[in-house]
Amino acid sequence: MALLEVENLEIAVSTQRNLLPVVQGVSFTVDENETLGIVGESGCGKSLTSLAIMGLLGTSPVRITGGSIHFDGMNLLALSERERRAIMGNRMAMIFQEPMTSLNPVYRIGDQIVENLRQHQNLSHAAARDRSVELLSLVRIPDPSERIDSFPHQMSGGQRQRVMIAMALSCDPKLLIADEPTTALDVTVQKEVLDLMADLQSRMGTAIVLISHDLGVIAETCDKVAVMYRGKIAEAASTADLFAELLHPYTRGLLNSIPVVDRDVEWLEAIPGRVPTLEETLTGCAFQPRCELATELCACEAPQTTQFKPGHSVQCHFAGQDRS
Ligand SMILES: Nc1ncnc2c1ncn2[C@@H]1O[C@H](COP(=O)(O)OP(=O)(O)OP(=O)(O)O)[C@@H](O)[C@H]1O
Ligand SMILES: [Mg+2]
């Protein structure tokens, strides 16, 4: 059994009038020591999927309407609030899209790590403080025994992201979910943070779910990839298989839209059009209005997930075909 098993996950947003599906039939697994990349444009449901795994959808209008999530053999959707809290931040941890929203600006960073450690482990204040200095040094914060008394605003964006990683790793989680951990950072710092995560993984055997809109980042860091489009998994495979044969026209579009540094253009060949909104009812394939391969079939009938090859699945009527 895999460490994390998400099966047929369904999430919906309730509005005054109806329930709009936002994540549909999403399934994937992550093993110990493995990194899964989830990639897709803004609004495809990446963050909601990770919040659902962490049990953080809370009382928002967004809720899980179907499927199952198993972690280390436990059915996460059947846990009581108390059982769930014992696991989150301890055996499962998350790095959020924007570190300033998860670090409390009025507390020194050391106090926040100490608090997190003491909540989950039976440590004295002094021992938790020593461990916090160790963690800051592990994530390569210079002069950790002094920086531990800094406030979040006294640190750079890259350093705050490292502090978030230190906090997430404070209890040796088995699974780390990193939601766009490097988007707000410049390219050199981005590489350092990604290298740091890979290094920590090789030392601790942590399973990682890395969320990004950048297929280039995913290609460099992940063992396998799930490409999400409008709440569904358009294509999934090991990184090697995916790049050996990009089956979904959306995946090919994403690859061609990798942001280019040091050039006048910000995006190379961005995919024309946009992700349909939740309110738009779709009868066929959600990518069809933007797809150069689309036919009448695509407009009428949503493609099912098919196993193109063992371990390489795709949702497209014309998977692997090329118009050119
Ligand atoms: N609390 C909420 N209430 C209503 N709609 C929401 C809520 N949270 C998310 N959504 C909608 O659900 C969809 C998926 O959102 P999600 O945040 O998962 O996207 P994402 O793939 O993480 O995008 P990004 O790359 O911008 O972070 C979006 O259309 C978003 O507008
Ligand atoms: Mg997001």
Side-chain angles (χ1 to χ4, degrees):
M1 196 180 208
L3 180 67
L4 176 70
E5 291 194 353
V6 174
E7 220 176 309
N8 266 322
L9 183 66
E10 305 273 335
I11 302 175
V13 179
S14 59
T15 65
Q16 275 172 339
R17 264 176 283 148
N18 43 16
L19 209 56
L20 302 172
V22 56
V23 167
Q24 293 175 277
V26 162
S27 303
F28 53 80
T29 61
V30 191
D31 284 323
E32 268 170 44
N33 219 348
E34 187 174 54
T35 303
L36 164 73
I38 302 184
V39 64
E41 288 164 292
S42 191
C44 283
K46 306 179 298 293
S47 292
L48 289 184
T49 301
S50 50
L51 292 172
I53 298 169
M54 293 297 293
L56 293 176
L57 291 179
T59 52
S60 70
V62 188
R63 57 188 152 92
I64 297 172
T65 48
S68 65
I69 305 174
H70 283 86
F71 171 72
D72 214 3
M74 283 173 295
N75 177 358
L76 291 189
L77 301 184
L79 297 181
S80 69
E81 186 56 25
R82 214 170 123 240
E83 290 168 323
R84 193 183 67 75
R85 263 201 237 126
I87 295 173
M88 305 307 157
N90 188 6
R91 296 167 69 190
M92 274 165 87
M94 181 157 172
I95 303 171
F96 293 90
Q97 208 158 346
E98 172 44 62
M100 266 323 254
T101 56
S102 5
L103 287 174
N104 191 326
V106 300
Y107 291 108
R108 296 174 199 276
I109 55 149
D111 293 341
Q112 299 187 50
I113 305 176
V114 165
E115 165 81 3
N116 201 44
L117 276 167
R118 296 197 69 191
Q119 243 179 32
H120 294 289
Q121 289 179 14
N122 196 14
L123 291 180
S124 69
H125 189 274
R129 193 174 157 93
D130 288 348
R131 176 80 183 123
S132 302
V133 172
E134 257 175 50
L135 283 162
L136 290 178
S137 143
L138 194 70
V139 296
R140 302 184 206 134
I141 297 279
D143 306 321
S145 45
E146 278 158 42
R147 297 312 302 270
I148 190 168
D149 291 318
S150 304
F151 288 96
H153 71 265
Q154 294 171 320
M155 308 192 103
S156 70
Q159 286 176 336
R160 282 199 290 265
Q161 201 55 286
R162 282 156 206 260
V163 171
M164 280 297 301
I165 296 176
M167 243 163 100
L169 293 176
S170 61
C171 302
D172 293 338
K174 288 184 137 192
L175 173 71
L176 175 66
I177 301 181
D179 189 355
E180 307 262 11
T182 59
T183 308
L185 309 175
D186 67 46
V187 180
T188 17
V189 185
Q190 180 175 342
K191 178 145 183 16
E192 280 171 27
V193 171
L194 291 170
D195 286 349
L196 173 69
M197 280 171 45
D199 179 45
L200 295 171
Q201 176 176 51
S202 66
R203 279 198 249 172
M204 297 178 176
T206 324
I208 298 178
V209 176
L210 176 69
I211 296 174
S212 177
H213 58 266
D214 185 341
L215 201 49
V217 164
I218 299 274
E220 275 172 38
T221 41
C222 298
D223 302 304
K224 57 188 193 181
V225 189
V227 180
M228 271 189 96
Y229 187 71
R230 226 287 199 141
K232 295 182 176 176
I233 294 189
E235 180 166 4
S238 70
T239 309
D241 285 353
L242 189 94
F243 285 96
E245 199 168 13
L246 303 171
L247 296 177
H248 201 292
Y250 180 58
T251 317
R252 291 201 288 271
L254 278 183
L255 187 72
N256 292 333
S257 317
I258 287 179
V260 183
V261 196
D262 297 335
R263 291 233 210 137
D264 292 342
V265 279
E266 199 181 335
W267 292 84
L268 204 60
E269 258 193 65
I271 310 164
R274 54 166 183 80
V275 183
T277 63
L278 299 182
E279 287 77 18
E280 287 172 63
T281 322
L282 305 165
T283 36
C285 171
F287 189 58
Q288 164 264 323
R290 307 172 72 185
C291 180
E292 56 167 24
L293 297 180
T295 65
E296 215 167 295
L297 172 67
C298 309
C300 317
E301 203 180 296
Q304 299 298 310
T305 304
T306 49
Q307 290 292 326
F308 196 79
K309 282 187 195 161
H312 196 160
S313 67
V314 63
Q315 265 183 3
C316 173
H317 292 300
F318 299 102
Q321 295 185 22
D322 205 331
R323 186 120 302 171
S324 55

